[in-house]
Amino acid sequence: MSGSLTIVGLGPGEAHWLTPAAQAAIEAASDLVGYGPYLDRLPAREGQVKHGSDNRVEVTRARHALQLAFEGRRVAVVSGGDPGVFAMAAAVFEALEAGEPDWLAVPITVEPGITAMLAAAARAGAPLGGDFCAISLSDNLKPWEVITQRLEAALSADFVISLYNPISKARPWQLGEALALAARHRPAETPVIFARAIGRADEVLRVLSMSEAVAAAGSADMATLVMIGASSTRLIAREGATPIVYTPRSVTKSPCATSQGRT
Amino acid sequence: MSGSLTIVGLGPGEAHWLTPAAQAAIEAASDLVGYGPYLDRLPAREGQVKHGSDNRVEVTRARHALQLAFEGRRVAVVSGGDPGVFAMAAAVFEALEAGEPDWLAVPITVEPGITAMLAAAARAGAPLGGDFCAISLSDNLKPWEVITQRLEAALSADFVISLYNPISKARPWQLGEALALAARHRPAETPVIFARAIGRADEVLRVLSMSEAVAAAGSADMATLVMIGASSTRLIAREGATPIVYTPRSVTKSPCATSQGRT
């Protein structure tokens, strides 16, 4: 039997955002490898083995998956959202590069998924209507100084900014500091979205102003995607509903003219 | 009859990346509104009306869709990829904000899709493994100076950069200039991906070095997603196959230390 490895994105939450290609990859697998709660979302199938693991062991999990595939198993590594966005795909390739040379012969494919940023944007309206960036606030893997430099660059260039991994028990203050930094660049009324568990039954979408967001940082958690509007991001109020957040496609002036001394 | 409007992302290319939720929204629609070639991808359904239009008339198309929904139709506005990323969602909200006050009563939902950047990344490996940004090179709606300022900010902060709308007959030189700018910030061997029509039968993935990409700019077209690696983005060579491109999750040093005079 010839093994293979597919890194599959489940999308956020319910199965209505799981692509047919990802569904097919999961069904075809002999072995499912992933973080326990993601595996729990998948029904048990006869003859299919689930290898659940803890959250913080991505490279160990990736090595295990590669070895299983090398031994001839049809392995699916499952990620929430999109596997290429702050999820398992990079960990698998890190493990591949540093691992057994024989593993290089394993066919590897990646099945994309709806990442949390797209799901949050869809629920809110169209906040990603202009140029945007995505930054992980986790400083497990990069210095905090790099994160703040990237935030400053994105703020001065007027990107919409999505913050992944905004907060955890081990990182309680980073989101507050990031939002305080944003508040020094953007007007107090700039929309900020806290999108929690979008696509799940218990999803919560909150549309705040920048100043409200700074005060509310502590109410976010690891299931929250935080999105900071650009200077042009705006609200459309609707009676009895959360306002629509959108970023117009047009930019009429240079956002950095003052801070970078350009004309 | 009570009308509604759903802005639906078809994902890139074939139906295996179309989410069940997007599929259901299309099937439930009485009227499909969109750019002709996107509508052509959808099978004809009895009693369902297709309103195809040209590419450059987003706001006119959006106004038409809002009016149909206001009149009681169940309208689906279809976009390729994700409707919130350089596609129809922002145009609909612009039209809503500037349009008839009555339109505000129309229920509007957005169905996310796999955007071209995620599809391209999946095919290439995991180039979005670190922080990243997405910039449209179209200068129909923003000055070229804003685009170059955003590119410079993204380059100096060492984001992976996805370029949407890289080139067209009306904009033949912008991609070349953007890549030349990138080449002044990043080493000549930095991987650059030209991902054309990923998800379609005629897809082409090319992995180039930065210097090759500068020379190859003219070979991109409107169906191409261009992705510029960060300084840490790297290749894993595999016999008889396109190399895998990935960006490690870790960052060990400050990318802006020199250019911003920090320590």
Side-chain angles (χ1 to χ4, degrees):
Chain A
M1 190 168 99
S2 174
S4 63
L5 195 156
T6 306
I7 310 161
V8 181
L10 298 183
E14 312 294 341
H16 65 275
W17 282 340
L18 178 68
T19 70
Q23 177 71 35
I26 290 163
E27 288 173 7
S30 62
D31 295 74
L32 299 178
V33 174
Y35 175 45
Y38 293 138
L39 295 188
D40 293 344
R41 281 162 55 180
L42 303 173
R45 285 191 179 79
E46 203 176 319
Q48 192 175 58
V49 187
K50 289 185 179 182
H51 307 265
S53 51
D54 199 357
N55 200 5
R56 291 259 185 147
V57 293
E58 287 92 348
V59 171
T60 309
R61 187 191 299 150
R63 289 180 54 85
H64 182 213
L66 284 161
Q67 180 61 26
L68 284 170
F70 175 67
E71 290 168 3
R73 310 289 294 174
R74 295 183 310 280
V75 180
V77 173
V78 300
S79 261
D82 180 272
V85 176
F86 309 121
M88 278 301 294
V92 169
F93 295 118
E94 285 169 31
L96 177 69
E97 190 179 38
E100 305 298 328
D102 284 345
W103 291 350
L104 288 168
V106 172
I108 302 177
T109 53
V110 180
E111 272 303 334
I114 305 288
T115 184
M117 168 173 64
L118 300 186
R123 276 292 187 274
L128 302 177
D131 300 323
F132 61 91
C133 68
I135 299 174
S136 170
L137 284 194
S138 171
D139 56 359
N140 292 334
L141 296 163
K142 62 191 169 194
W144 178 247
E145 185 203 36
V146 169
I147 297 173
T148 55
Q149 286 174 0
R150 289 181 177 173
L151 277 169
E152 283 186 9
L155 287 161
S156 66
D158 209 13
F159 285 99
V160 177
I161 302 170
S162 293
L163 301 177
Y164 281 75
N165 305 318
I167 203 162
S168 74
K169 275 181 193 156
R171 294 178 287 102
W173 54 264
Q174 282 81 347
L175 176 61
E177 190 161 311
L179 289 170
L181 178 61
R184 292 198 288 277
H185 286 258
R186 302 263 162 102
E189 66 274 17
T190 305
V192 177
I193 298 162
F194 280 29
R196 185 179 187 283
I198 299 298
R200 296 200 327 226
D202 58 339
E203 73 171 47
V204 178
L205 180 78
R206 286 191 291 162
V207 176
L208 307 171
S209 68
M210 179 68 78
S211 46
E212 289 168 341
V214 171
S219 67
D221 65 12
M222 279 303 276
T224 306
L225 186 289
V226 175
M227 200 178 294
I228 301 169
S231 64
S232 62
T233 303
R234 48 203 288 131
L235 303 181
I236 303 176
R238 309 228 296 177
E239 215 167 314
T242 306
I244 294 165
V245 187
Y246 90 99
T247 303
R249 300 164 305 154
S250 299
V251 177
T252 49
K253 61 177 173 50
S254 163
C256 316
T258 312
S259 64
Q260 298 196 1
R262 287 156 191 260
T263 55
Chain B
M1 189 167 102
S2 175
S4 63
L5 195 156
T6 307
I7 310 162
V8 181
L10 298 183
E14 311 295 341
H16 64 277
W17 282 341
L18 178 69
T19 70
Q23 177 71 37
I26 290 163
E27 287 172 8
S30 62
D31 295 74
L32 300 177
V33 173
Y35 175 44
Y38 293 138
L39 295 188
D40 293 344
R41 282 162 56 181
L42 303 173
R45 284 190 180 81
E46 203 177 318
Q48 193 176 57
V49 186
K50 289 184 178 181
H51 307 265
S53 51
D54 198 357
N55 200 5
R56 292 259 186 147
V57 294
E58 286 91 349
V59 171
T60 308
R61 188 191 298 149
R63 289 180 54 86
H64 181 212
L66 284 160
Q67 180 61 27
L68 284 171
F70 174 67
E71 290 167 4
R73 310 289 295 173
R74 294 184 309 281
V75 180
V77 172
V78 300
S79 262
D82 180 272
V85 176
F86 308 122
M88 277 303 294
V92 169
F93 294 118
E94 285 169 31
L96 177 68
E97 190 179 37
E100 304 298 328
D102 284 345
W103 291 350
L104 287 168
V106 172
I108 302 178
T109 52
V110 180
E111 272 303 333
I114 305 288
T115 184
M117 169 172 65
L118 300 185
R123 278 290 189 275
L128 301 177
D131 300 323
F132 62 90
C133 68
I135 298 174
S136 169
L137 284 193
S138 172
D139 56 0
N140 292 334
L141 296 163
K142 62 191 167 193
W144 179 247
E145 185 203 37
V146 169
I147 297 173
T148 56
Q149 285 173 1
R150 289 181 177 173
L151 278 168
E152 282 185 10
L155 288 161
S156 66
D158 209 13
F159 285 100
V160 178
I161 301 170
S162 294
L163 301 176
Y164 280 73
N165 305 318
I167 203 162
S168 73
K169 275 181 193 156
R171 294 179 287 102
W173 54 265
Q174 282 81 347
L175 177 61
E177 190 161 310
L179 289 169
L181 178 61
R184 293 199 287 277
H185 287 258
R186 303 263 163 100
E189 66 274 16
T190 305
V192 177
I193 297 162
F194 280 28
R196 184 179 187 284
I198 298 298
R200 296 201 326 227
D202 58 339
E203 73 171 46
V204 178
L205 180 76
R206 287 190 290 162
V207 176
L208 307 171
S209 67
M210 180 67 80
S211 45
E212 289 168 340
V214 171
S219 67
D221 66 12
M222 280 303 278
T224 306
L225 187 288
V226 174
M227 201 179 292
I228 301 169
S231 64
S232 62
T233 304
R234 46 201 291 130
L235 303 181
I236 303 176
R238 309 229 295 176
E239 216 167 311
T242 306
I244 293 164
V245 187
Y246 90 99
T247 304
R249 300 164 304 153
S250 299
V251 176
T252 49
K253 61 176 172 51
S254 163
C256 315
T258 311
S259 65
Q260 298 197 359
R262 288 156 189 259
T263 54

